[in-house]
Amino acid sequence: MSKGKVTVLGSNGHIGNAAMIAFRDAGWEVTGLGRTNRRPVSGTTFVAGDADDVGVVRAAIAEADVVVHALHLPYDQWGNGRSEKQLQVVIDALGTSGKTLLFPGTIYNYRAGDRVVSPATRQSAEAPRGEIRIKLETMLREAAAAGKFQTIILRGGDFYGPGNRGEWFGDGMLMDLGKGRIYHMGDLDMRHSWAYLPDLARAFAVLAEKRESLQAFENFHFAGHWVAHRQVMAAIEAALPQKVKVEAFPWWGLAMMGLVNPVMRDLHRMRYLWTHEMELVDPRLESILGGGFLTPFEVAVAATVEEFVEAKKAA
């Protein structure tokens, strides 16, 4: 018996693809919306369409009980109101339906000095990207307060997982793997919050099942794997078939590219996430998910690295 119907907006993306799999495996009827079906998931339905079109989104979510917002603009397109415009399309499509919207939050909403980041921590952005994310969550809070629909935010750390590209794990730490080097992003003894995408997506599915017992607007923090960069390097080394050199990430290169490339400049501006410990905590969510929910860190890293290596061989 189906647990309900869910539509994933942006089914090809990091969160989107993982959510398609997690909800399918949890027994939901799953529909994905995207421009193309470049990451097909068996046992689900795909609808081709432009998520910037209110009519397209409204039709895609018409039968859904739950909607997963997995739309994500490229870094260089966040500004000038584009992020707010993208979200407004979804808000308008949901209207006063009373459906549940699941929205992935980021740690950008908080400051470098926020050593422990809980749902009760006051949001105050460190950089422009954080200011944008706070605006987006405010839009959702206001819609929920007006009784239009339920919003559940699930905030995670840096994503990683098999098959994902365009994130720090692969494009940063493993970018020179072919040259026999891997990079640590910060001081080896400093800890960082990581979200293994299959686990994060399963947490979304659990919250969707619990939605009737939750408030109109909820903000959960997914602790994920809180580990030192030294542990990350050791787990990657253990998963590789060859020996590699472990070196510090060349942030200076990013700074140099940032002189002419605004995307690189913005990425360098976010370096504070790697030079400060910002731990996501939420005992309430941990209670909901239950003990033993997370994939063991070494197992998760091994799965990610092994897929990455095989993909490079096949390329």
Side-chain angles (χ1 to χ4, degrees):
M1 179 181 294
S2 171
K3 292 182 180 178
K5 297 181 179 180
V6 58
T7 295
V8 179
L9 306 177
S11 58
N12 293 311
H14 295 165
I15 288 287
N17 185 255
M20 295 281 287
I21 296 170
F23 275 89
R24 178 203 63 188
D25 292 349
W28 291 70
E29 293 181 47
V30 183
T31 297
L33 172 68
R35 286 187 173 87
T36 62
N37 193 20
R38 60 183 174 81
R39 298 183 73 184
V41 176
S42 63
T44 69
T45 300
F46 176 77
V47 176
D50 186 351
D52 291 331
D53 186 317
V54 175
V56 169
V57 176
R58 185 178 292 124
I61 68 175
E63 301 299 321
D65 306 298
V66 173
V67 177
V68 178
H69 186 294
L71 302 170
H72 185 73
L73 291 170
Y75 252 32
D76 60 341
Q77 296 180 25
W78 278 39
N80 300 318
R82 291 175 179 172
S83 293
E84 294 91 89
K85 182 179 179 181
Q86 182 186 67
L87 179 58
Q88 190 62 54
V89 169
V90 177
I91 291 174
D92 291 344
L94 283 164
T96 57
S97 63
K99 298 178 186 292
T100 296
L101 178 69
L102 301 177
F103 187 82
T106 72
I107 203 167
Y108 300 172
N109 301 48
Y110 301 92
R111 302 196 69 81
D114 293 331
R115 166 61 183 78
V116 177
V117 185
S118 77
T121 304
R122 184 177 72 88
Q123 295 191 1
S124 176
E126 187 81 22
R129 295 193 184 283
E131 295 171 0
I132 292 171
R133 297 296 302 194
I134 290 175
K135 288 180 183 177
L136 299 183
E137 292 187 19
T138 299
M139 291 168 66
L140 293 173
R141 183 185 293 275
E142 291 174 349
K148 294 181 178 181
F149 52 86
Q150 181 186 42
T151 292
I152 301 173
I153 293 174
L154 181 59
R155 194 178 315 282
D158 272 291
F159 299 159
Y160 73 106
N164 289 283
R165 303 293 183 263
E167 80 249 312
W168 284 111
F169 195 100
D171 290 3
M173 295 190 301
L174 301 180
M175 68 177 185
D176 282 339
L177 180 60
K179 299 177 182 179
R181 292 195 298 270
I182 60 175
Y183 297 113
H184 54 93
M185 307 302 298
D187 184 278
L188 284 170
D189 292 320
M190 186 167 287
R191 292 164 294 183
H192 189 75
S193 291
W194 292 94
Y196 184 54
L197 278 169
D199 289 346
L200 184 67
R202 287 191 299 113
F204 268 119
V206 170
L207 291 175
E209 290 184 33
K210 304 284 187 181
R211 65 190 184 280
E212 292 184 2
S213 65
L214 301 176
Q215 299 298 313
F217 182 87
E218 295 277 10
N219 173 30
F220 290 102
H221 287 192
F222 183 75
H225 295 122
W226 172 244
V227 293
H229 296 296
R230 188 183 305 280
Q231 292 173 263
V232 181
M233 294 295 99
I236 291 175
E237 287 185 278
L240 289 171
Q242 77 275 18
K243 289 186 178 298
V244 293
K245 292 182 179 179
V246 176
E247 300 179 6
F249 182 79
W251 286 102
W252 62 268
L254 209 60
M256 292 295 291
M257 288 187 287
L259 294 176
V260 295
N261 186 318
V263 176
M264 296 300 105
R265 184 162 57 248
D266 277 358
L267 288 173
H268 189 269
R269 185 180 292 167
M270 303 302 289
R271 187 182 179 183
Y272 72 90
L273 296 169
W274 303 97
T275 58
H276 293 76
E277 291 192 334
M278 300 173 67
E279 181 183 9
L280 291 168
V281 299
D282 191 346
R284 180 180 173 222
L285 178 61
E286 290 184 5
S287 177
I288 292 173
L289 298 179
F293 182 84
L294 295 179
T295 301
F297 179 64
E298 290 76 10
V299 174
V301 170
T304 304
V305 171
E306 288 166 7
E307 186 281 331
F308 184 89
V309 170
E310 289 304 312
K312 288 297 182 181
K313 288 180 180 178

